[in-house]
Amino acid sequence: MGRSYFHLHLVSDSTGETLITVARAVVAQYEGVAAIEHVYPLVRSNTQLERVIHEIETAPGIVLYTLVEQELASRLEEVCRATGSPHLSVLEPVHALLSSYLGTHSTARPGAQHMLNAEYFKRIDAMNFTLLHDDGHLPHDLDDADVILVGVSRTSKTPTSIYLANRGLKTANIPLVPGVPPPVILETAKTALIVGLVATPERIVQIRQNRLLSLNADDDTSYVDREAVAEELAASRRLFARNGWPVIDVTRRSIEETAAAIIDLHRDRRQRLSAN
C-alpha cells in the first residue's frame, strides 16, 4: 500500500519547537501517512503572516498554530476557513484549562518560554559542562556532574548526554575501553548519578561497522568482532553490578526514551538524598 501525503502548516510566533514536537508525535501514530511540513517560526507581524497565508492558499492542508496575538490568530483562522483548511490553536485548550482552574487570564507574551531566566542559563551551564566532559575528558571533576554515563563504544553516550544537558543536567560520559581501567573517581563519586548503558552485541557491531564504513577503515578488527564485543559488554555489566549502578539497555530505545529514564532515576535519587 502506498504512502499518502498531506500538507501540514505549523505557524508560530516563537521558535516553533512546540508545534513541531506535538505535530510529529501525532502524525507518527498514523501508518502509511506522511506530512509535508511547512514551518513558519517567529510570525509576529501582519507582513509575516501574509507570507504564511500565501503558502496556505497555494497548498491547503491542516494548520496548527501558536499565535498569542489575537488579531493575527483571527486573520489566520479567517483564511483557513476560506481555503477549507482544518485549523487548531494548539495551546488554546491548555490555556482554557489553566485559566479555569487558576481563575485568572494569561498575558500574551510570544516566546515567553524562551526568556533569558535562571532556568535558561542553567541549561547553558549544563551544555558547556557536558561538551567539556564528553568521551572521558576532564575526569578530575566528574563529581560536579549531575549524571555520569558509562558504557562501551557506540552505546549512544554522547547524544544522550547532549539531550540531558538541554534539560539542564550537567552530564559527563566515560567510555569503557578494553584493557584500560575506568577513572578511579568513578569508584568514589558521591554526588553524581552514575548510569551504565548497554546494548546487544549485534546492535553494537552493526553501529561500529557503519562507523568504520563511514571512515573507510579496515573492519578486520576486534572492534567489530562479535565475541570480543560480547566480552566488552559482559565486562561492563560486571562493573555496573559491582558498583550497584543502574543499567539501561539502549538497543531498542530512542535517545529521548533513554534520557527520560535517566531523568526519572535522577529525580528519585535527588529525592532520596534530600530525605536523608
Side-chain angles (χ1 to χ4, degrees), residues 19-30:
L19 277 175
I20 293 171
T21 300
V22 171
R24 289 179 180 174
V26 175
V27 172
Q29 307 305 312
Y30 294 86

Side-chain angles (χ1 to χ4, degrees), residues 264-276:
D264 197 39
L265 288 169
H266 180 263
R267 184 185 302 112
D268 289 345
R269 174 182 171 81
R270 189 174 56 190
Q271 290 174 347
R272 287 197 304 272
L273 292 176
S274 63
N276 294 335

Side-chain angles (χ1 to χ4, degrees), residues 159-174:
T160 304
S161 297
I162 298 299
Y163 189 95
L164 290 170
N166 197 44
R167 296 292 298 272
L169 293 178
K170 294 180 179 179
T171 308
N173 72 80
I174 301 294

Side-chain angles (χ1 to χ4, degrees), residues 14-182:
S14 186
T15 62
E17 294 173 13
T18 300
L19 277 175
I20 293 171
T21 300
V22 171
R24 289 179 180 174
V26 175
V27 172
Q29 307 305 312
Y30 294 86
E31 293 185 9
V33 177
I36 301 173
E37 291 183 357
H38 306 263
V39 183
Y40 316 97
L42 301 174
V43 177
R44 299 180 180 179
S45 70
N46 287 316
T47 300
Q48 292 166 326
L49 182 60
E50 289 305 318
R51 296 195 190 102
V52 174
I53 288 172
H54 174 73
E55 294 292 328
I56 294 173
E57 290 175 335
T58 301
I62 293 177
V63 179
L64 303 180
Y65 63 94
T66 54
L67 299 174
V68 299
E69 290 293 341
Q70 190 54 51
E71 180 181 340
L72 296 179
S74 297
R75 170 65 177 144
L76 179 62
E77 292 168 359
E78 175 187 334
V79 171
C80 287
R81 287 191 291 269
T83 58
S85 298
H87 55 282
L88 175 68
S89 172
V90 171
L91 297 182
E92 185 57 36
V94 182
H95 275 307
L97 179 64
L98 286 176
S99 180
S100 175
Y101 183 78
L102 298 175
T104 186
H105 295 287
S106 63
T107 302
R109 292 186 298 163
Q113 72 271 35
H114 300 294
M115 290 178 65
L116 303 185
N117 54 19
E119 188 66 26
Y120 175 84
F121 288 109
K122 178 184 176 182
R123 294 202 308 274
I124 296 300
D125 287 342
M127 188 65 71
N128 288 334
F129 181 95
T130 299
L131 293 175
L132 287 173
H133 293 76
D134 181 42
D135 205 28
H137 290 101
L138 301 177
H140 61 277
D141 61 346
L142 277 183
D143 210 26
D144 291 338
D146 296 307
V147 175
I148 302 173
L149 304 181
V150 185
V152 304
S153 172
R154 304 295 118 184
T155 46
S156 302
K157 296 184 298 298
T158 293
T160 304
S161 297
I162 298 299
Y163 189 95
L164 290 170
N166 197 44
R167 296 292 298 272
L169 293 178
K170 294 180 179 179
T171 308
N173 72 80
I174 301 294
L176 297 178
V177 181
V180 179

